Amino acid sequence: MPPARITVEADGRLNVPDVPIIPFIRGDGIGVDIWPAAQAVLDAAVAKHAKRIEWLPVLAGQQAFDEVGTWLPEQTVTSFRDHVVGIKGPLTTPIGGGFRSLNVALRQLLDLYVCLRPVRWFRGVPSPVKRPDKVDMVIFRENIEDVYAGFELEEGTDGAKRLIEFLHGEYGWDIRADSGLGLKPVSVTGSKRLVRAALHYAVSHGRRSVTLVHKGNIQKFTEGAFQKWGYELVRDEFADVAVSWDDCGGKPGERVLVKDTIADIFLQQVLTRPDEFDVIATTNLNGDYASDALAAQVGGIGIAPGGNINYVTGHGVFEATHGTAPKYAGQDKVNPGSLLLSGVLMLEHLGWQAAADDVVRALEATIGEGIVTYDFARLTEGATEVKTSEFASAIVDRL
Ligand code: NAD
């Protein structure tokens, strides 16, 4: 079979050839260690199912800057757009460059409105909590709006001064003259498409509940509106398969239960009663905090995967959630789990569920036998510490 591009149906469904061309960014820093490891496992897993991935290297980050003089080359964005699905390692954030963050830029350019962060525990992974096995959540974090939209004015600038004056004149708002300002846009469109994706996921994966996490008690017209629009969507589009807590008194029957909680209480409850949470739908900043806090409960950033997805256009960019850990770069030492599990999310997005399941089983078997990289080894008594590449080989052996 010759390699071919993935295409997308009008309804967002993907047509995936047996040998899809998939662009990848190896990533800076430890990208040189974790990318080959993750690729080896993904290649072996799909080969078991008579598939192959034609990997197409594309540049971003420090490597791009060094080789072509720009942090995010136009061809890289075009390549992700044209090939529909891609994957990336961690990128150095240029300091003082034109970009706030390359990751945020890529999400905005491709309108990848969902940040998907599944959080579950794998047997054998060291955790700071007593019952990490009770954590099994899938976070849908809005990825474009909120304070991440990039509408900020620096303190002391003409723009900041003018906006402060305007807000005083127009609304009587007294904002201290030496303030920096940031806007928090939260739209009906952005909120509903995010909650819609979470509900579709919950229904199609047999999940019990969707929790809308917000700060609506304080930020009524952004966070509070997110909650209101979420419930509106349940009634308007999902009445046959989902129901809000208020509409069923907490007894949804066969339907998916939709409830909500305030973000700060949520962060307590995921520690004290994690098994009451399932699919989470939340705004951008809340989602950022919640994803990392939850990741810590099940073993931390070395193993937390992420995907950035537009379910309407089918586009997806899957990524390691940690950074470039420069002090470990090139040492064949760190954990490739985050990038590998992001690859698993990518296989699921392609509809290659069996290969995805194989990787998860083999990873679990490897860690379960105490074969782990340094980050887990130092927290686990009796573990065998292996290099990044050896960890990958051990997973491949167990596929
Ligand atoms: P980092 O995630 O790179 O590293 C923090 C610490 O976490 C490391 O020192 C290491 O102890 C540990 N760690 C990270 N990944 C690990 C792995 N796979 N296995 C084992 N341990 C691991 O965060 P940082 O030091 O704040 O950032 C370094 C660079 O990465 C910066 O340029 C930052 O902007 C960038 N960054 C990129 C992304 C991304 O591309 N998604 C995310 C965060 C930070």
Side-chain angles (χ1 to χ4, degrees):
M1 280 283 182
R5 283 188 186 188
I6 294 167
T7 56
V8 190
E9 299 284 330
D11 64 0
R13 260 182 311 131
L14 303 186
N15 291 315
V16 181
D18 283 341
V19 187
I21 304 167
I22 295 189
F24 75 97
I25 299 167
R26 185 196 67 192
D28 299 321
I30 53 172
V32 297
D33 305 294
I34 59 177
W35 173 258
Q39 188 192 329
V41 177
L42 295 172
D43 283 345
V46 300
K48 267 188 68 186
H49 299 275
K51 311 271 192 202
R52 188 168 73 77
I53 293 173
E54 177 78 11
W55 298 106
L56 175 69
V58 292
L59 292 177
Q62 188 71 51
Q63 195 193 0
F65 189 74
D66 294 345
E67 290 184 25
V68 297
T70 162
W71 290 91
L72 185 58
E74 188 55 39
Q75 292 120 284
T76 298
V77 181
T78 309
S79 187
F80 278 129
R81 189 174 282 129
D82 292 349
H83 293 91
V84 186
V85 172
I87 185 165
K88 60 173 281 293
L91 298 176
T92 305
T93 301
I95 298 189
F99 289 105
R100 181 173 305 260
S101 147
L102 294 173
N103 299 310
V104 173
L106 205 53
R107 289 168 197 168
Q108 305 248 359
L109 288 168
L110 297 176
D111 196 24
L112 304 171
Y113 62 87
V114 169
C115 178
L116 178 68
R117 295 278 296 264
V119 190
R120 56 156 291 196
W121 181 69
F122 293 95
R123 193 170 57 83
V125 172
S127 157
V129 299
K130 283 188 191 146
R131 294 292 305 270
D133 55 305
K134 289 188 170 207
V135 181
D136 182 8
M137 300 179 212
V138 182
I139 303 172
F140 282 73
R141 163 187 166 195
E142 203 286 323
N143 221 4
I144 305 286
E145 304 193 325
D146 200 345
V147 291
Y148 287 73
F151 302 131
E152 289 197 304
L153 292 170
E154 192 178 356
E155 180 273 324
T157 57
D158 227 31
K161 283 185 199 149
R162 280 171 38 210
L163 186 54
I164 289 170
E165 273 165 32
F166 170 79
L167 293 172
H168 182 75
E170 195 75 10
Y171 302 109
W173 295 353
D174 282 324
I175 298 174
R176 233 178 240 130
D178 59 351
S179 299
L181 301 175
L183 262 184
K184 178 185 171 90
V186 174
S187 69
V188 179
T189 308
S191 303
K192 285 197 173 173
R193 68 180 181 171
L194 183 275
V195 178
R196 188 178 292 119
L199 279 160
H200 274 305
Y201 181 95
V203 171
S204 62
H205 287 75
R207 293 280 183 156
R208 291 163 296 133
S209 71
V210 174
T211 305
L212 308 172
V213 177
H214 61 90
K215 277 293 290 178
N217 54 334
I218 306 295
Q219 303 164 42
K220 305 221 181 289
F221 302 130
T222 50
E223 297 279 328
F226 174 84
Q227 174 220 31
K228 185 182 90 175
W229 295 325
Y231 281 132
E232 225 170 71
L233 186 84
V234 175
R235 278 192 296 273
D236 293 349
E237 295 182 22
F238 291 87
D240 51 336
V241 287
V243 62
S244 72
W245 183 287
D246 283 351
D247 288 344
C248 71
K251 297 197 168 53
E254 294 299 301
R255 289 180 287 181
V256 173
L257 178 65
V258 184
K259 50 190 177 161
D260 74 276
T261 182
I262 307 285
D264 41 297
I265 300 165
F266 172 74
L267 289 174
Q268 290 190 26
Q269 290 179 336
V270 290
L271 276 168
T272 53
R273 26 195 169 121
D275 46 353
E276 288 181 17
F277 297 96
D278 198 338
V279 175
I280 309 298
T282 188
T283 48
N284 206 336
L285 182 61
N286 294 333
D288 197 357
Y289 297 149
S291 309
D292 277 22
L294 274 161
Q297 287 192 49
V298 294
I301 50 176
I303 199 170
N308 302 283
I309 303 172
N310 181 320
Y311 287 96
V312 179
T313 63
H315 283 104
V317 175
F318 298 85
E319 66 178 351
T321 56
H322 54 72
T324 57
K327 71 176 174 190
Y328 295 115
Q331 295 181 24
D332 198 13
K333 187 175 169 76
V334 295
N335 194 339
S338 173
L339 186 58
L340 177 59
L341 288 170
S342 302
V344 167
L345 291 182
M346 185 187 81
L347 297 181
E348 289 177 351
H349 188 65
L350 299 180
W352 293 3
Q353 190 65 46
D357 292 344
D358 283 349
V359 176
V360 171
R361 262 194 300 272
L363 175 75
E364 214 163 7
T366 307
I367 297 173
E369 288 174 44
I371 302 168
V372 291
T373 46
Y374 89 98
D375 50 323
F376 287 176
R378 64 185 174 184
L379 300 171
T380 317
E381 226 171 285
T384 310
E385 180 179 330
V386 294
K387 293 175 184 295
T388 312
S389 54
E390 293 168 339
F391 184 61
S393 305
I395 300 170
V396 170
D397 290 345
R398 285 159 184 77
L399 273 169

